[in-house]
Amino acid sequence: MADTFSPPTPGDIRSPVRFLLWLVRNQPGRVAAGATLGTVWMLGLAVPPYLLSRAVDDGLRPRDHTALFGWAAAMFGVGVLNAFIGIARHRTMTKVRMDASFRVVRATVRRATELGATLPHRMSAGEVVAIGMADVMVIAQSLTVTGPGIGAAVSYLAVAAVLLSISPLLALVVLAGVPLVAVTVGPLQRRLQRVGTGYRDEQGELTALLVDVATGLPVLNGLGGKDVYAARYRRRSQALRDQGYRVGSVTSWVGALAVGLPALFLALVTWLAARMAADGSLAIGELVAVYGYAAMLVVPVFFFIEGGNDVARALVAARRVTGFLALTPEQSDGAHPVAAPPSPAALRDPLSGVVVRPGVLTALAAARPADTAAVVERLGRFAASDAEWGALRLDTVALRETRERVLVADNDAALFSGTVREAVSGRADPDDATVRAAIRTAAATDIVDALPAGLDSSLSAGGRNLSGGQRQRLRLARAVCADPEVLLAVEPTSAVDTHTEAAMATGLRAARTGRTTVVTTTSPLVLDRADEVVYLVEGRAVAVGPHHELLHTEPGYRALVSRGAQEEAIR
């Protein structure tokens, strides 16, 4: 699986049917094996009725015990052989379903990774969770039709052919029976697809609401809004329950027909064969065989109905998955991406007038934090712009190279569950000395020392077992540990006290000496340690220089920094 995976092409996600066919095409050998085993297994179910009829006609009626025991032994052997074939079929189809589920998961995870920061703006976390938890299994289950489904079709035609040699009337009844079943169940399956689509949409929205409530519970407790959101979730969950009842109603009818129609079909064929045996047009052995064939046909008819139900549900799920896979990143490579500058180069943002010189610690200060954050987004290529990297437009450089050399450390970046060591090391695999050095740079040594297992202590998802200031320090430690050529840090010290902030600023300057670093801040403690400060007003750079120089030459900057000092005193 890991060696054969390739993501679906745009044509593969054009429709739900194409996506299901993509899952089949990616494992042709296994699907062929499942179809073969399913066919042999179902045909094997038709052999015992024939052997039973021979045992009746050749052994039981003439009282030939040798023939009777011979045919009985043949029936036992066929039963044992078919049992082993059934086991092999089940194992093969399990692998087919698992392969399909893994491919769907890998395709969605790959797309989520490619979307990156775009994902939260395009689809809710709850919808992504619903895809991973519900849709994957529904889609995988539908691939059962490639095994027993094909076997059901072949065995149905084979039994009809055998019955044709016994009685054309019985063969006609069998051939007409399954289309009649399809006509009966078809409207229900279409209705199931319609109500299932609405249920699936509501399920994704409710899951998103649950994720929002769970992640924002501390804030809701503080604002007194917990009961309001609980009532909202209760109303939405009741609506989802009612929608689920509608889906369940249709599903129950499909399930009932899946059992009831084959039974009625069996009763009709048996009654007709019995009438023919009574008037002498059908031998007793043939009557027994016809009953066996009709009873055997219950299995393929059941698979026809169940397979149709699985496919109808899978089309609903695949529509959600293909919609997700069709999302495109806001930033991507053009037709002919170019290589990044071979050596450290200046970053320029024409919209704001900000120029970041290589090897310099630059601070961006503005009365509106959104202005400096927007500059970082453009320089980090997370927003469309005319930004330049050296002599190149940033959006013409291969995106992979940009991500490898330019790191944006957002103040709200997620901390994933795992150990402290894993959280700080990120995608790299550095030694403990490197991890501890990054932690010292971020003034986070006390965090690790206070945890029971040090670097091996576990963090919950989002670092919720830490305070806001502790999470901020670990985020900075992770950015420093990555050691990018260009580090763009958004408000890296906004949630800590002045003493810790001073230590973080000093550590960051020491660790990033000679490396291009940008921080957005209004803290005089951080601004004082910057090589160069860019002061922005209304999103435009109006002054550039050292912190102390701007204090004397720019009244607006002086007022901004004084306000920042007051905020630090309050912290």
Side-chain angles (χ1 to χ4, degrees):
M1 172 62 199
D3 296 330
T4 61
F5 176 78
S6 58
T9 66
D12 296 326
I13 60 176
R14 191 176 303 165
S15 68
V17 173
R18 287 176 177 267
F19 184 71
L20 296 180
L21 291 176
W22 171 74
L23 294 174
V24 173
R25 289 199 311 271
N26 274 280
Q27 43 178 334
R30 193 175 290 134
V31 168
T36 301
L37 290 171
T39 300
V40 173
W41 175 69
M42 284 208 181
L43 290 176
L45 296 177
V47 175
Y50 169 76
L51 297 177
L52 182 60
S53 68
R54 297 301 303 270
V56 171
D57 290 340
D58 298 347
L60 189 61
R61 291 184 64 187
R63 299 182 182 277
D64 185 343
H65 293 86
T66 301
L68 179 62
F69 286 122
W71 289 114
M75 288 181 61
F76 176 78
V78 169
V80 172
L81 177 61
N82 214 35
F84 280 104
I85 294 175
I87 292 173
R89 174 197 63 81
H90 188 273
R91 288 181 176 179
T92 303
M93 295 314 302
T94 299
K95 292 178 180 179
V96 169
R97 290 188 291 268
M98 290 180 65
D99 185 283
S101 64
F102 291 153
R103 288 184 190 277
V104 176
V105 169
R106 290 193 64 176
T108 53
V109 170
R110 181 188 180 96
R111 177 58 67 187
T113 303
E114 292 172 346
L115 291 170
T118 305
L119 179 57
H121 307 295
R122 308 287 292 280
M123 182 171 286
S124 67
E127 181 64 23
V128 178
V129 171
I131 288 175
M133 295 182 61
D135 294 336
V136 169
M137 299 308 299
V138 172
I139 291 173
Q141 180 62 33
S142 71
L143 264 69
T144 301
V145 300
T146 63
I150 294 176
V154 174
S155 61
Y156 166 72
L157 295 175
V159 169
V162 172
L163 288 177
L164 185 62
S165 65
I166 298 176
S167 168
L169 177 60
L170 290 174
L172 178 63
V173 170
V174 170
L175 287 173
V178 173
L180 182 61
V181 168
V183 170
T184 304
V185 180
L188 285 174
Q189 290 177 335
R190 288 192 293 272
R191 175 170 171 76
L192 177 62
Q193 190 171 348
R194 289 196 301 272
V195 297
T197 300
Y199 178 81
R200 177 60 186 79
D201 293 340
E202 185 68 22
Q203 183 184 42
E205 294 176 6
L206 185 64
T207 306
L209 180 60
L210 178 61
V211 171
D212 291 342
V213 171
T215 55
L217 194 58
V219 177
L220 293 176
N221 284 330
L223 297 176
K226 179 173 63 175
D227 294 338
V228 175
Y229 270 83
R232 183 181 302 173
Y233 181 81
R234 190 180 303 113
R235 289 193 301 270
R236 295 289 295 274
S237 63
Q238 289 171 349
L240 181 64
R241 179 198 60 193
D242 295 339
Q243 184 78 0
Y245 285 158
R246 288 191 286 273
V247 175
S249 175
V250 180
T251 303
S252 65
W253 275 104
V254 173
L257 291 175
V259 176
L261 286 179
L264 291 175
F265 181 67
L266 171 62
L268 175 62
V269 174
T270 303
W271 176 82
L272 185 59
R275 289 295 302 271
M276 295 175 66
D279 63 18
S281 60
L282 198 68
I284 298 299
E286 290 177 328
L287 172 63
V288 173
V290 168
Y291 176 82
Y293 293 140
M296 171 265 170
L297 283 177
V298 170
V299 177
V301 172
F302 174 82
F303 271 109
F304 284 144
I305 299 175
E306 282 294 296
N309 184 37
D310 289 341
V311 171
R313 295 171 61 234
L315 291 174
V316 175
R319 183 173 292 108
R320 306 298 302 184
V321 174
T322 53
F324 174 76
L325 295 178
L327 298 177
T328 56
E330 293 177 355
Q331 300 296 319
S332 59
D333 287 331
H336 304 287
V338 299
S343 59
L347 284 168
R348 300 179 183 85
D349 177 33
L351 186 61
S352 64
V354 171
V355 178
V356 177
R357 295 188 291 124
V360 172
L361 174 57
T362 304
L364 305 181
R368 297 185 308 189
D371 291 342
T372 54
V375 174
V376 168
E377 286 189 349
R378 292 193 291 268
L379 294 179
R381 199 175 167 185
F382 283 98
S385 71
D386 297 327
E388 299 173 349
W389 191 2
L392 304 171
R393 275 181 60 104
L394 185 59
D395 56 10
T396 64
V397 177
L399 187 60
R400 180 179 294 275
E401 289 194 59
T402 304
R403 295 288 179 258
E404 288 177 351
R405 295 173 60 179
V406 180
L407 173 63
V408 175
D410 192 276
N411 194 30
D412 295 325
L415 286 174
F416 300 101
S417 59
T419 65
V420 175
R421 178 185 291 103
E422 292 169 343
V424 174
S425 61
R427 66 179 182 180
D429 188 23
D431 53 36
D432 282 1
T434 304
V435 173
R436 292 187 183 278
I439 290 173
R440 284 195 300 272
T441 296
T445 303
D446 61 312
I447 302 175
V448 179
D449 292 342
L451 293 173
L455 292 178
D456 294 317
S457 299
S458 296
L459 299 180
S460 61
R464 288 193 296 271
N465 56 336
L466 302 176
S467 68
Q470 289 173 329
R471 291 195 295 269
Q472 191 172 55
R473 284 185 277 168
L474 287 185
R475 289 189 188 101
L476 181 60
R478 179 174 61 186
V480 171
C481 190
D483 193 30
E485 177 184 315
V486 179
L487 173 60
L488 309 175
V490 178
E491 299 288 347
T493 65
S494 60
V496 299
D497 56 62
T498 54
H499 174 74
T500 304
E501 186 175 35
M504 293 173 69
T506 301
L508 181 62
R509 178 174 177 83
R512 297 289 300 174
T513 299
R515 310 279 280 172
T516 307
T517 307
V518 176
V519 295
T520 69
T521 183
T522 57
S523 167
L525 293 174
V526 181
L527 294 168
D528 185 51
R529 287 161 176 78
D531 297 314
E532 192 168 81
V533 178
V534 181
Y535 173 46
L536 293 93
V537 176
E538 300 293 334
R540 294 287 303 176
V542 296
V544 180
H547 170 60
H548 291 287
E549 179 182 314
L550 294 182
L551 284 176
H552 290 91
T553 60
E554 291 293 331
Y557 179 79
R558 183 166 58 251
L560 175 64
V561 173
S562 298
R563 187 180 68 184
Q566 292 173 1
E567 292 173 352
E568 287 173 4
I570 294 174
R571 273 207 312 267

